[in-house]
Short mmCIF file of all heavy atoms in Angstrom, two decimals:
data_model
loop_
_atom_site.label_atom_id
_atom_site.label_comp_id
_atom_site.label_asym_id
_atom_site.label_seq_id
_atom_site.Cartn_x
_atom_site.Cartn_y
_atom_site.Cartn_z
N GLU C 6 8.93 -31.87 42.03
CA GLU C 6 8.40 -32.21 40.70
C GLU C 6 9.15 -31.39 39.65
O GLU C 6 9.45 -30.22 39.86
CB GLU C 6 6.90 -31.86 40.66
CG GLU C 6 6.24 -32.19 39.35
CD GLU C 6 5.00 -33.05 39.59
OE1 GLU C 6 4.61 -33.24 40.76
OE2 GLU C 6 4.44 -33.54 38.61
N ASP C 10 9.66 -30.64 31.54
CA ASP C 10 9.76 -32.06 31.34
C ASP C 10 9.51 -32.35 29.86
O ASP C 10 8.37 -32.31 29.38
CB ASP C 10 8.69 -32.77 32.20
CG ASP C 10 8.88 -34.27 32.17
OD1 ASP C 10 9.68 -34.75 31.36
OD2 ASP C 10 8.21 -34.96 32.98
N ARG C 12 10.40 -34.89 26.48
CA ARG C 12 10.83 -36.27 26.18
C ARG C 12 10.70 -36.52 24.68
O ARG C 12 9.66 -36.26 24.09
CB ARG C 12 9.89 -37.29 26.84
CG ARG C 12 9.63 -37.11 28.29
CD ARG C 12 9.92 -38.41 29.02
NE ARG C 12 10.69 -38.09 30.19
CZ ARG C 12 11.65 -38.84 30.69
NH1 ARG C 12 11.96 -39.99 30.09
NH2 ARG C 12 12.30 -38.50 31.76
N ARG C 30 14.81 -32.66 31.74
CA ARG C 30 13.95 -32.33 32.88
C ARG C 30 14.64 -31.28 33.71
O ARG C 30 15.82 -31.37 33.98
CB ARG C 30 13.69 -33.57 33.73
CG ARG C 30 12.92 -34.63 32.93
CD ARG C 30 12.64 -35.82 33.81
NE ARG C 30 11.76 -35.43 34.92
CZ ARG C 30 11.63 -36.16 36.04
NH1 ARG C 30 12.30 -37.27 36.20
NH2 ARG C 30 10.82 -35.74 36.98
N ILE C 53 10.94 -24.12 21.26
CA ILE C 53 9.91 -25.11 21.62
C ILE C 53 9.56 -24.95 23.10
O ILE C 53 8.38 -24.96 23.48
CB ILE C 53 10.42 -26.53 21.29
CG1 ILE C 53 10.46 -26.70 19.77
CG2 ILE C 53 9.51 -27.58 21.92
CD1 ILE C 53 11.11 -27.97 19.31
N LEU C 54 10.58 -24.77 23.94
CA LEU C 54 10.31 -24.58 25.36
C LEU C 54 9.52 -23.29 25.62
O LEU C 54 8.69 -23.21 26.52
CB LEU C 54 11.63 -24.55 26.15
CG LEU C 54 12.36 -25.88 26.23
CD1 LEU C 54 13.73 -25.70 26.87
CD2 LEU C 54 11.52 -26.88 27.02
N GLY C 56 7.34 -22.15 23.72
CA GLY C 56 6.01 -22.25 23.13
C GLY C 56 5.89 -21.48 21.85
O GLY C 56 4.79 -21.22 21.37
N ALA C 60 6.95 -28.84 18.60
CA ALA C 60 7.72 -30.03 18.26
C ALA C 60 6.92 -30.85 17.24
O ALA C 60 5.71 -30.77 17.18
CB ALA C 60 7.97 -30.86 19.51
N ASP C 62 7.19 -34.01 17.26
CA ASP C 62 6.92 -35.27 17.96
C ASP C 62 7.49 -35.12 19.37
O ASP C 62 8.42 -34.36 19.60
CB ASP C 62 7.65 -36.40 17.23
CG ASP C 62 6.92 -37.71 17.40
OD1 ASP C 62 5.96 -37.75 18.20
OD2 ASP C 62 7.29 -38.67 16.73
N GLY C 63 6.93 -35.87 20.31
CA GLY C 63 7.45 -35.84 21.67
C GLY C 63 6.49 -35.18 22.63
O GLY C 63 5.35 -34.86 22.28
N ARG C 64 7.01 -34.94 23.82
CA ARG C 64 6.17 -34.48 24.91
C ARG C 64 6.82 -33.26 25.52
O ARG C 64 8.01 -33.26 25.79
CB ARG C 64 6.11 -35.65 25.91
CG ARG C 64 5.34 -35.39 27.12
CD ARG C 64 5.51 -36.62 28.03
NE ARG C 64 5.16 -36.21 29.36
CZ ARG C 64 3.91 -36.09 29.75
NH1 ARG C 64 2.92 -36.39 28.93
NH2 ARG C 64 3.64 -35.66 30.98
N VAL C 65 6.07 -32.21 25.73
CA VAL C 65 6.63 -30.95 26.23
C VAL C 65 5.77 -30.39 27.34
O VAL C 65 4.62 -30.01 27.11
CB VAL C 65 6.74 -29.89 25.09
CG1 VAL C 65 7.36 -28.63 25.63
CG2 VAL C 65 7.53 -30.44 23.93
N LEU C 66 6.31 -30.36 28.55
CA LEU C 66 5.61 -29.72 29.68
C LEU C 66 6.49 -28.60 30.21
O LEU C 66 7.66 -28.84 30.54
CB LEU C 66 5.39 -30.74 30.80
CG LEU C 66 4.09 -31.54 30.78
CD1 LEU C 66 4.04 -32.47 31.98
CD2 LEU C 66 2.89 -30.64 30.73
N VAL C 67 5.98 -27.40 30.27
CA VAL C 67 6.78 -26.26 30.73
C VAL C 67 5.93 -25.38 31.64
O VAL C 67 4.69 -25.45 31.57
CB VAL C 67 7.30 -25.40 29.56
CG1 VAL C 67 8.29 -26.16 28.72
CG2 VAL C 67 6.14 -24.91 28.71
N PRO C 68 6.55 -24.57 32.47
CA PRO C 68 5.77 -23.63 33.29
C PRO C 68 5.04 -22.63 32.41
O PRO C 68 5.48 -22.32 31.30
CB PRO C 68 6.82 -22.93 34.15
CG PRO C 68 8.02 -23.78 34.09
CD PRO C 68 7.99 -24.48 32.77
N LYS C 69 3.93 -22.14 32.93
CA LYS C 69 3.14 -21.15 32.18
C LYS C 69 3.90 -19.84 32.02
O LYS C 69 3.90 -19.25 30.95
CB LYS C 69 1.83 -20.89 32.92
CG LYS C 69 0.70 -21.79 32.51
CD LYS C 69 -0.55 -20.96 32.26
CE LYS C 69 -1.61 -21.73 31.50
NZ LYS C 69 -2.28 -22.73 32.34
N ARG C 71 6.87 -17.80 31.40
CA ARG C 71 8.23 -17.97 30.84
C ARG C 71 8.75 -16.60 30.41
O ARG C 71 8.00 -15.76 29.97
CB ARG C 71 8.16 -18.89 29.63
CG ARG C 71 7.59 -20.27 29.90
CD ARG C 71 7.50 -21.10 28.66
NE ARG C 71 6.52 -20.62 27.71
CZ ARG C 71 5.27 -21.04 27.65
NH1 ARG C 71 4.84 -22.00 28.49
NH2 ARG C 71 4.45 -20.59 26.75
N MET D 1 10.61 -40.64 40.45
CA MET D 1 9.69 -40.64 39.30
C MET D 1 10.27 -41.44 38.16
O MET D 1 11.34 -41.11 37.65
CB MET D 1 9.44 -39.21 38.83
CG MET D 1 7.97 -38.89 38.70
SD MET D 1 7.78 -37.22 38.13
CE MET D 1 7.18 -36.40 39.61
N VAL D 3 10.36 -43.29 34.32
CA VAL D 3 10.02 -42.88 32.98
C VAL D 3 8.58 -43.24 32.65
O VAL D 3 7.83 -42.48 32.06
CB VAL D 3 11.00 -43.50 31.96
CG1 VAL D 3 10.51 -43.27 30.55
CG2 VAL D 3 12.38 -42.90 32.15
N LEU D 6 6.16 -40.93 33.80
CA LEU D 6 6.06 -39.73 32.98
C LEU D 6 5.24 -39.94 31.73
O LEU D 6 4.48 -39.08 31.28
CB LEU D 6 7.44 -39.24 32.61
CG LEU D 6 8.03 -38.24 33.57
CD1 LEU D 6 9.49 -38.03 33.28
CD2 LEU D 6 7.28 -36.90 33.47
N GLU D 7 5.45 -41.15 31.18
CA GLU D 7 4.72 -41.40 29.93
C GLU D 7 3.24 -41.63 30.16
O GLU D 7 2.41 -41.30 29.32
CB GLU D 7 5.36 -42.58 29.20
CG GLU D 7 6.53 -42.10 28.34
CD GLU D 7 7.26 -43.23 27.67
OE1 GLU D 7 7.09 -44.38 28.12
OE2 GLU D 7 8.01 -42.98 26.72
N PRO D 9 1.33 -40.45 33.10
CA PRO D 9 1.30 -39.80 34.40
C PRO D 9 -0.05 -39.99 35.06
O PRO D 9 -1.09 -39.82 34.42
CB PRO D 9 1.53 -38.32 34.06
CG PRO D 9 1.20 -38.17 32.61
CD PRO D 9 1.14 -39.52 31.99
N ALA D 12 -0.79 -36.18 36.02
CA ALA D 12 -0.36 -35.16 35.07
C ALA D 12 -1.37 -34.92 33.98
O ALA D 12 -1.25 -33.97 33.19
CB ALA D 12 0.99 -35.53 34.46
N PRO D 15 -2.32 -31.13 34.68
CA PRO D 15 -1.06 -30.63 35.21
C PRO D 15 -1.33 -29.47 36.17
O PRO D 15 -2.36 -28.82 36.06
CB PRO D 15 -0.31 -30.15 33.96
CG PRO D 15 -1.34 -29.93 32.92
CD PRO D 15 -2.50 -30.80 33.27
N PRO D 16 -0.43 -29.23 37.11
CA PRO D 16 -0.61 -28.13 38.04
C PRO D 16 -0.82 -26.81 37.31
O PRO D 16 -0.32 -26.63 36.19
CB PRO D 16 0.69 -28.12 38.84
CG PRO D 16 1.65 -28.99 38.11
CD PRO D 16 0.82 -29.97 37.36
N ALA D 17 -1.53 -25.92 37.91
CA ALA D 17 -1.97 -24.68 37.25
C ALA D 17 -0.85 -23.97 36.51
O ALA D 17 -1.06 -23.43 35.43
CB ALA D 17 -2.60 -23.76 38.29
N ALA D 18 0.35 -23.95 37.10
CA ALA D 18 1.41 -23.15 36.53
C ALA D 18 2.12 -23.84 35.37
O ALA D 18 2.99 -23.27 34.76
CB ALA D 18 2.42 -22.81 37.61
N VAL D 19 1.74 -25.06 35.06
CA VAL D 19 2.43 -25.81 34.00
C VAL D 19 1.55 -25.90 32.78
O VAL D 19 0.33 -25.99 32.85
CB VAL D 19 2.83 -27.19 34.52
CG1 VAL D 19 3.32 -28.06 33.38
CG2 VAL D 19 3.93 -27.07 35.58
N GLU D 20 2.20 -25.83 31.63
CA GLU D 20 1.47 -25.83 30.37
C GLU D 20 1.95 -27.03 29.54
O GLU D 20 3.14 -27.30 29.50
CB GLU D 20 1.77 -24.53 29.64
CG GLU D 20 0.79 -24.21 28.54
CD GLU D 20 1.03 -22.78 28.02
OE1 GLU D 20 1.86 -22.07 28.64
OE2 GLU D 20 0.45 -22.42 27.00
N ASP D 21 1.04 -27.67 28.88
CA ASP D 21 1.42 -28.80 28.04
C ASP D 21 1.48 -28.34 26.58
O ASP D 21 0.48 -27.99 26.00
CB ASP D 21 0.38 -29.92 28.20
CG ASP D 21 0.85 -31.18 27.50
OD1 ASP D 21 1.90 -31.12 26.81
OD2 ASP D 21 0.18 -32.22 27.64
N LEU D 22 2.69 -28.30 26.05
CA LEU D 22 2.86 -27.83 24.68
C LEU D 22 3.09 -28.97 23.70
O LEU D 22 3.45 -28.76 22.55
CB LEU D 22 4.07 -26.88 24.60
CG LEU D 22 4.01 -25.63 25.47
CD1 LEU D 22 5.31 -24.88 25.40
CD2 LEU D 22 2.86 -24.74 25.07
N SER D 23 2.88 -30.20 24.18
CA SER D 23 3.14 -31.35 23.33
C SER D 23 2.31 -31.32 22.07
O SER D 23 1.15 -30.91 22.12
CB SER D 23 2.83 -32.65 24.08
OG SER D 23 3.36 -32.62 25.36
N PRO D 24 2.91 -31.71 20.94
CA PRO D 24 2.08 -31.88 19.76
C PRO D 24 1.12 -33.02 20.00
O PRO D 24 1.48 -34.02 20.62
CB PRO D 24 3.09 -32.23 18.67
CG PRO D 24 4.27 -32.79 19.40
CD PRO D 24 4.29 -32.13 20.74
N LYS D 183 19.21 -0.61 7.70
CA LYS D 183 20.43 -1.36 7.95
C LYS D 183 20.79 -2.23 6.76
O LYS D 183 21.98 -2.39 6.42
CB LYS D 183 20.25 -2.26 9.18
CG LYS D 183 19.99 -1.48 10.43
CD LYS D 183 20.04 -2.36 11.65
CE LYS D 183 20.19 -1.51 12.88
NZ LYS D 183 20.33 -2.31 14.09
#
Side-chain angles (χ1 to χ4, degrees):
Chain C
E6 181 127 8
D10 188 350
R12 308 233 135 216
R30 296 182 64 198
I53 290 172
L54 290 173
D62 209 351
R64 178 185 161 79
V65 181
L66 270 181
V67 293
K69 269 227 165 74
R71 302 178 291 266
Chain D
M1 230 181 252
V3 170
L6 268 168
E7 274 175 344
V19 170
E20 198 171 352
D21 188 354
L22 301 175
S23 314
K183 297 189 163 185

